Amino acid sequence: MFGFKSKKKSNAGNTVALCLGGGGARGFAHIGAIKAFEEAGVSFNTVVGTSVGSLVGALYCAGIDAETMIRYADTVQMRDVYNGIVITPNDPAKIGKLVSNLIGTKDIVNLGKKFVAVAVDLVTAKQTVLTEGNVANAVSASCAVPILYKPVIMGGKHLCDGGLMNNIPADVCRMVGATHVVTVDVNSSRGSGTSGTGLFDVIKATLSITMANSSVEGLRLSDVIIAPDTSKFSSMSKSGYKEMIELGYKAAKEKISEIKALM
């Protein structure tokens, strides 16, 4: 009788994308996750980000390593991007400047890895997937939280924070060719309400609920979910940023074996 050896399942055809979700200042945890990936030799050639996920994702795709991001984080202050006054919306270009300060003026197509930023067009009320154009502008658009920031006007579109419609853009990862998705969700406690009646309390709760609803499908479409518990930190404050980086690092380390299995 002839013996037949069973073939080991190959992952050679897999394309694993990294999905970085929104979460404001809690996005410091994304940096910790990237540090864990680098230490483990895990590299992603496709990154899709919403809001702060687009900011960190753009730096990663431009070749900025985690240690450089951490050193840069030490110097960044919230007042660099947000003046705290709701009546006068902030200029979202301040956010894009965080990117251009490190990578200069670059086009998305010229980054070392495939990068996609997710935003929402207020004119059509539809998602906009940014795959070309100036990197800093794309990040500004993806991060422009309505009311807090002016929309970014691009080719007739009035773009704002992608989290309004797609806070965990795993579907976009698949749309651009990924067979599997690793998601870093830095705001898994989203959806909390408020007992306050002040304008800022109401705005914050409204956005939180909206982001929670826009995250459900993305989490369902993710193969591996890294979800550091950042619930005790504010999405509007840098306070505790080093601890958030560490939480992201530890949460990602726990998932390395699962990620490598996909690759």
Side-chain angles (χ1 to χ4, degrees):
M1 293 182 65
F2 295 99
F4 295 93
K5 293 182 180 179
S6 60
K7 290 185 178 180
K8 198 180 267 189
K9 188 176 179 181
S10 172
N11 290 337
N14 287 358
T15 301
V16 184
L18 177 61
C19 172
L20 300 178
R26 290 168 174 161
F28 284 112
H30 282 317
I31 301 174
I34 288 173
K35 179 182 177 182
F37 299 149
E38 289 174 348
E39 287 184 359
V42 170
S43 180
F44 300 90
N45 291 321
T46 299
V47 182
V48 179
T50 289
S51 199
V52 70
S54 74
L55 193 160
V56 177
L59 296 178
Y60 175 72
C61 288
I64 305 299
D65 61 36
E67 286 303 326
T68 301
M69 291 186 207
I70 292 170
R71 288 196 300 271
Y72 188 44
D74 292 338
T75 69
V76 173
Q77 300 299 326
M78 291 303 291
R79 64 176 176 270
D80 295 333
V81 295
Y82 175 64
N83 61 21
I85 303 172
V86 178
I87 298 173
T88 306
N90 289 265
D91 181 357
K94 293 179 180 179
I95 302 173
K97 196 170 186 298
L98 295 180
V99 174
S100 59
N101 281 346
L102 278 183
I103 71 171
T105 302
K106 283 194 176 182
D107 193 285
I108 291 174
V109 297
N110 293 325
L111 294 175
K113 301 172 183 290
K114 182 187 289 186
F115 170 67
V116 181
V118 177
V120 169
D121 179 16
L122 293 176
V123 177
T124 61
K126 292 182 178 179
Q127 173 176 278
T128 296
V129 175
L130 301 169
T131 58
E132 59 184 10
N134 181 272
V135 176
N137 289 346
V139 170
S140 296
S142 184
C143 293
V145 178
I147 302 175
L148 300 183
Y149 290 91
K150 300 173 186 175
V152 174
I153 299 176
M154 233 185 251
K157 295 182 177 182
H158 295 185
L159 302 179
C160 68
D161 196 311
L164 289 178
M165 298 187 75
N166 199 353
N167 202 45
I168 303 289
D171 61 328
V172 178
C173 291
R174 297 182 186 279
M175 186 190 307
V176 297
T179 56
H180 295 81
V181 180
V182 173
T183 287
V184 183
D185 180 8
V186 297
N187 192 19
S188 58
S189 61
R190 66 178 67 81
S192 56
T194 181
S195 58
T197 57
L199 177 61
F200 188 74
D201 288 332
V202 172
I203 290 173
K204 186 178 178 183
T206 301
L207 289 173
S208 180
I209 293 166
T210 300
M211 302 302 182
N213 288 333
S214 73
S215 301
V216 175
E217 184 67 2
L219 293 172
R220 186 184 72 80
L221 292 173
S222 300
D223 296 283
V224 176
I225 299 171
I226 297 165
D229 182 4
T230 60
S231 57
K232 73 176 185 178
F233 304 101
S234 169
S235 62
M236 301 296 293
S237 171
K238 184 186 175 182
S239 179
Y241 77 100
K242 288 186 177 180
E243 189 176 346
M244 285 188 268
I245 292 172
E246 184 64 18
L247 287 170
Y249 173 76
K250 289 180 178 178
K253 288 275 282 186
E254 292 174 359
K255 299 285 185 171
I256 292 298
S257 60
E258 290 181 46
I259 296 169
K260 286 187 173 181
L262 293 178
M263 295 177 165

